[in-house]
Amino acid sequence: MWRLYQYPLCPFSRKVRLALAEKGVEVELVHELPWMRRDEFVDLNPAGQTPVLIGDRGAALVDSTAICEYFEETIERMPLLGASAADRAEVRRLCAWFDQKFYAEVGHMLLAERMYKRIVQRAAPDGGALRTAGRNLEHHLGYIEYLLDHRRWLSGTTFGLADLAAAAHLSVVDYLSALDWHGHATAKQWYSAIKSRPTFRALLSERMDGLAPPAHYDKLDF
């Protein structure tokens, strides 16, 4: 069985977990806090970042995109990148959008202010940073709405990795009590459909030590 080094609020680990669950790949979860910089973990990934996936023979797969593409190439079940070269390029573009742009403009700030400062630094969040993240989030939700006005799923005509990447990042924002769906009914309906998938259930049941989610977090009717 594969072992996945991760922590509950790592959006990149969530993306991998969702993709592997859709592929039917079982993993053993290893709780890893990357900011602790454990020597043994840095030996596995010199970047000191989660997720890291270790196979039975000790081979290490690092980086959420590399991990997801590895299983896309090796497991035919539930293709997540699309049928054509153009489809796959668009899915990869949107995965990069959420993993890079969304994370930099929204996720990273919220994790720093509402998770790291609380459970590691024991400090109060910066209200200005939270307001900036909120404004950025509103723009990203608007972009999701725009995409869904022109296609059934973010990935295109079929459900795919772009949907999982976006949902992984948004689920962390939701856990941190920062996700407001007001004015974004289409995006909310899309997220509800993904949240209702059996592969999403494990994420909804997990908790980050020292930090509880809002009451609606694990409810399918929100």
Side-chain angles (χ1 to χ4, degrees), residues 12-55:
F12 306 99
S13 300
R14 287 183 168 223
K15 169 188 165 188
V16 166
R17 291 178 60 186
L18 290 170
L20 295 189
E22 293 285 348
K23 290 281 188 181
V25 178
E26 294 186 5
V27 295
E28 174 190 353
L29 300 180
V30 180
H31 188 70
E32 184 68 45
L33 301 177
W35 54 86
M36 298 298 291
R37 303 288 297 181
R38 287 193 315 114
D39 290 341
E40 295 84 354
F41 181 66
V42 174
D43 286 343
L44 295 175
N45 179 14
Q49 299 171 332
T50 51
V52 174
L53 191 65
I54 305 297

Side-chain angles (χ1 to χ4, degrees), residues 181-217:
W181 294 108
H182 180 71
H184 301 290
T186 301
K188 181 179 180 180
Q189 184 178 21
W190 160 83
Y191 183 68
S192 179
I194 298 178
K195 191 175 181 180
S196 300
R197 296 177 74 87
T199 51
F200 214 92
R201 304 273 172 78
L203 296 184
L204 296 177
S205 66
E206 288 187 3
R207 298 294 180 266
M208 185 77 186
D209 290 344
L211 186 61
H216 70 264
Y217 170 75

Side-chain angles (χ1 to χ4, degrees), residues 79-138:
L80 294 172
L81 282 180
S84 69
D87 292 339
R88 292 190 291 274
E90 176 65 357
V91 169
R92 290 184 173 106
R93 179 188 77 85
L94 287 173
C95 286
W97 176 282
F98 288 100
D99 287 347
Q100 298 171 24
K101 187 173 178 62
F102 183 96
Y103 181 69
E105 295 178 355
V106 181
H108 181 265
M109 283 193 286
L110 291 173
L111 283 167
E113 298 300 329
R114 290 193 169 177
M115 185 270 291
Y116 188 79
K117 280 189 175 180
R118 177 169 179 174
I119 67 175
V120 179
Q121 296 181 330
R122 307 296 182 185
D126 182 328
L130 292 177
R131 287 189 292 273
T132 298
R135 289 193 295 269
N136 293 340
L137 174 60
E138 185 68 17

